[in-house]
Amino acid sequence: ERKLGLRASSTCSVMFEDVRVDASDILGTVGEGYKYCIKILNEGRIGIGAQQVGIAKGCLDVAMPYLMERRQFGDRIANFQGMQHQYAQLATELYGAELMVYNAARMKEQGLPFVKEASMAKLYASQVAEKAASKSIEWLGGIGFTRDLLAEKFFRDCKVGSIYEGTSNMQLSTIAKIMQNETSPSG
């Protein structure tokens, strides 16, 4: 398939028509397929969050050396206070996203309820990755808009983070629903 991003990952349609499955070949319990799918999606959100953290780190890995090398007005771009605030803010947000992903993974591994945390981690990590990708292109200037560096690839690859394994709006709905369930109504 021709995709915007994640071009190294194969994507294809699978269609089943008039398929019959023998009872001995059924995986799991009949009628529980939806539950299995949701469980897989909930777990997969941690992995998507980790993927998005990796993309955001890649953006900084590409942009920071350039900011340290490129000079304007007799000084490195990285030394300008306005630029320092931007990359320090992004690094802080990236650290927060990474901790959220690790925490969701830890909770899942310990058998604790983790769906809210996985949704939060995926949501936030995808937001941070999009910001990192956009900022890295800006910071790299004209070269960031070319295919000479990985910035444009990261920009394309991160967009799907807000779509698959549940859109960002679905993550917000999931988080809100769990928060409501966690809050007992009084009276």
Side-chain angles (χ1 to χ4, degrees), residues 52-67:
Q52 297 300 299
V53 165
I55 290 171
K57 283 184 174 188
C59 292
L60 283 178
D61 288 348
V62 167
M64 285 306 298
Y66 179 84
L67 298 178

Side-chain angles (χ1 to χ4, degrees), residues 119 123 127 167-177 179:
S119 288
L123 172 69
Q127 292 169 344
T167 65
S168 291
N169 284 336
M170 281 302 304
Q171 302 315 309
L172 291 168
S173 293
T174 298
I175 295 162
K177 182 179 177 181
M179 289 175 68

Side-chain angles (χ1 to χ4, degrees), residues 36-50:
Y36 297 142
C37 288
I38 293 300
K39 182 178 184 291
I40 291 166
L41 284 174
N42 288 334
E43 293 172 356
R45 290 177 180 140
I46 298 169
I48 301 306

Side-chain angles (χ1 to χ4, degrees), residues 3 11 13 17-18 36 50-51 66-67 70 82 93 97 101 113 116 120 123 143 147 154 170-172 176 184-185:
K3 300 182 293 188
T11 304
S13 298
E17 294 180 20
D18 301 321
Y36 297 142
Q51 176 192 52
Y66 179 84
L67 298 178
R70 179 86 166 125
E93 292 172 15
V101 169
K116 180 178 75 175
M120 288 176 164
L123 172 69
I143 192 113
R147 292 188 174 182
F154 294 144
M170 281 302 304
Q171 302 315 309
L172 291 168
S184 300

Side-chain angles (χ1 to χ4, degrees), residues 9-174:
S9 171
S10 296
T11 304
C12 61
S13 298
V14 178
M15 296 172 39
F16 299 99
E17 294 180 20
D18 301 321
V19 174
R20 298 190 56 83
V21 178
D22 189 82
S24 65
D25 293 325
I26 293 175
L27 299 174
T29 305
V30 173
E32 298 291 314
Y34 180 76
K35 287 183 183 179
Y36 297 142
C37 288
I38 293 300
K39 182 178 184 291
I40 291 166
L41 284 174
N42 288 334
E43 293 172 356
R45 290 177 180 140
I46 298 169
I48 301 306
Q51 176 192 52
Q52 297 300 299
V53 165
I55 290 171
K57 283 184 174 188
C59 292
L60 283 178
D61 288 348
V62 167
M64 285 306 298
Y66 179 84
L67 298 178
M68 295 297 290
E69 293 169 13
R70 179 86 166 125
R71 299 180 80 81
Q72 285 293 322
F73 310 107
D75 203 358
R76 288 187 235 160
I77 294 174
N79 289 340
F80 298 143
Q81 186 181 49
M83 187 59 68
Q84 289 173 337
H85 292 180
Q86 290 181 54
Y87 63 76
Q89 180 67 41
L90 183 60
T92 302
E93 292 172 15
L94 175 55
Y95 184 67
E98 187 172 17
L99 290 177
M100 291 174 78
V101 169
Y102 279 129
N103 185 55
R106 177 192 61 80
M107 292 176 77
K108 182 204 172 293
E109 288 295 313
Q110 292 180 348
L112 300 170
F114 69 94
V115 174
K116 180 178 75 175
E117 289 76 9
S119 288
M120 288 176 164
K122 181 205 178 277
L123 172 69
Y124 190 62
S126 68
Q127 292 169 344
V128 170
E130 284 193 31
K131 180 178 179 180
S134 182
K135 285 294 185 187
S136 69
I137 289 173
E138 286 179 30
W139 298 340
L140 293 166
I143 192 113
F145 198 68
T146 69
R147 292 188 174 182
D148 293 344
L149 299 175
L150 290 172
E152 63 87 24
K153 178 187 182 314
F154 294 144
F155 189 78
R156 288 184 288 104
D157 287 350
C158 75
K159 187 58 193 168
V160 75
S162 64
I163 300 169
Y164 66 173
E165 304 287 331
T167 65
S168 291
N169 284 336
M170 281 302 304
Q171 302 315 309
L172 291 168
S173 293
T174 298

